[in-house]
Amino acid sequence: MRVTLTGATGLIGPAVIAKLKRRDAEITVLSRDPDRARRVLGVEAHGWSPMDEPAPTEALAGRDAVVHLAGEEVAQRWSSSAKQAIRDSRVIGTRNLIAGMKAAQPRPAAIISSSAIGIYGARHEEPLDEDAPPGYGFLAETCVQWEEEAQRAAELGLRVVCVRTGVVLDAQGGALAKMLPPFKMGVGGPVAGGHQYVSWIHLDDLAGIIVSAIEQESWSGPVNGTAPDPVTNRELSKALGKALHRPAVLPVPGFALRLLYGEMAEIVTTGQRVLPAKALVLGYEFEHPRLQEALESALA
């Protein structure tokens, strides 16, 4: 199996690469800093500036799949320039990746492209599977454009899978890493009332879903990268406090998050109740389907 990845030095890439190495896959990564990627990941690396040029064909030709993880960090204050960078890194970056695929001979067989459950917008307690329509707002609109660019690969004869990632549980990065300092000090607690749903997934399972999408031709279209047990923010806070043996009762008011992060705070204060219907139908077996065990595993 031959696989090329973009964004491989972020939170998700190393976990995907670890699973691929256990399958003796031939792995290539595309990076703006290929020397660092080669050193950190121990794989073949090619230079690529995703905003400026098509992806290099020599890193794409004949691959069984391309895993596209590259994109500007979403968890930051959404200034006008930050919004532009978040959108362009996904839309233009994906467009330039597809341009490289079009020129590659032979072309890759599939693209597994990141997306996000933010595509559903704020939907409160409504259960959302892959058939749910997109929502409204900056992140939802960005995800729609992002997936539209990825779907252009289908016109080239590639199988396309868009993994709509939820809140990834890993102590080294992402939302959980940001939550740990106050919770470890015993001053963590539910945010903005705690009634909003958090659709989480253990990093091992997100990597497992991506690898399943690479290996199995039955996977196509949007796939929710979330665990089958979405919980409220209050339930997440309680479970994290239990895992850390700390109290988790001090509330964080929504206005405090809005002061700190502005519009981006809506991701935390609204949330979505997302279900991995397609992954379950396709036979994916979650390693960490329940929150308490998943948190304890992530913190181990």
Side-chain angles (χ1 to χ4, degrees):
M1 181 166 56
R2 304 179 71 199
V3 181
T4 294
L5 297 91
T6 75
T9 56
L11 174 63
I12 301 167
V16 175
I17 287 173
K19 286 185 180 292
L20 289 172
K21 283 183 175 180
R22 288 197 288 271
R23 288 161 169 77
D24 294 322
E26 181 182 326
I27 303 166
T28 304
V29 302
L30 295 175
S31 174
R32 282 172 293 205
D33 187 348
D35 290 335
R36 176 178 176 272
R38 210 174 285 122
R39 183 175 66 254
V40 170
L41 300 171
V43 297
E44 179 185 348
H46 294 249
W48 179 42
S49 179
M51 295 295 295
D52 303 319
E53 59 188 355
T57 57
E58 65 271 20
L60 302 170
R63 266 51 178 190
D64 295 290
V66 175
V67 178
H68 184 36
L69 304 173
E72 176 75 11
E73 174 65 53
V74 171
Q76 58 177 301
R77 191 176 183 88
W78 287 352
S79 64
S80 295
S81 59
K83 281 185 170 182
Q84 191 72 39
I86 290 167
R87 182 185 296 109
D88 288 352
S89 67
R90 286 160 173 78
V91 175
I92 297 174
T94 304
R95 188 177 301 160
N96 281 332
L97 178 61
I98 302 301
M101 291 178 173
K102 184 176 181 179
Q105 292 298 329
R107 289 172 180 163
I111 176 172
I112 317 302
S113 182
S114 274
S115 183
I117 60 171
I119 196 169
Y120 299 115
R123 305 285 272 274
H124 307 291
E125 296 183 7
E126 178 186 355
L128 302 165
D129 64 15
E130 289 86 353
D131 291 330
Y136 301 95
F138 165 69
L139 190 56
E141 292 162 7
T142 296
C143 289
V144 167
Q145 296 175 43
W146 190 10
E147 291 191 12
E148 286 175 349
E149 291 296 332
Q151 285 294 340
R152 294 180 187 276
E155 300 169 9
L156 305 176
L158 278 71
R159 180 170 58 89
V160 180
V161 182
C162 292
V163 180
R164 295 171 175 172
T165 302
V167 175
V168 181
L169 299 186
D170 182 74
Q172 306 307 313
L176 180 59
K178 290 181 174 66
M179 293 172 69
L180 285 177
F183 274 82
K184 285 181 175 179
M185 291 187 292
V187 294
V191 174
H195 301 296
Q196 68 277 27
Y197 270 87
V198 179
S199 297
W200 59 274
I201 187 168
H202 192 289
L203 179 60
D204 286 348
D205 277 315
L206 181 57
I209 284 174
I210 290 170
V211 172
S212 294
I214 293 169
E215 294 180 325
Q216 299 178 35
E217 293 185 2
S218 56
W219 290 59
S220 65
V223 173
N224 289 335
T226 61
D229 182 32
V231 298
T232 64
N233 181 272
R234 183 178 296 277
E235 290 169 329
L236 173 62
S237 298
K238 182 179 179 180
L240 181 54
K242 181 178 180 181
L244 292 170
H245 307 289
R246 295 287 189 277
V249 295
L250 292 179
V252 179
F255 76 84
L257 280 183
R258 287 188 285 273
L259 283 174
L260 182 61
Y261 289 113
E263 184 183 354
M264 195 281 289
E266 292 179 9
I267 296 176
V268 180
T269 59
T270 56
Q272 297 106 354
R273 186 181 185 182
V274 180
L275 303 170
K278 188 175 286 186
L280 292 171
V281 167
L282 290 168
Y284 181 77
E285 296 185 8
F286 283 84
E287 298 178 52
H288 308 282
R290 296 289 173 258
L291 177 64
Q292 192 67 56
E293 184 278 331
L295 280 171
E296 290 168 3
S297 170
L299 296 170

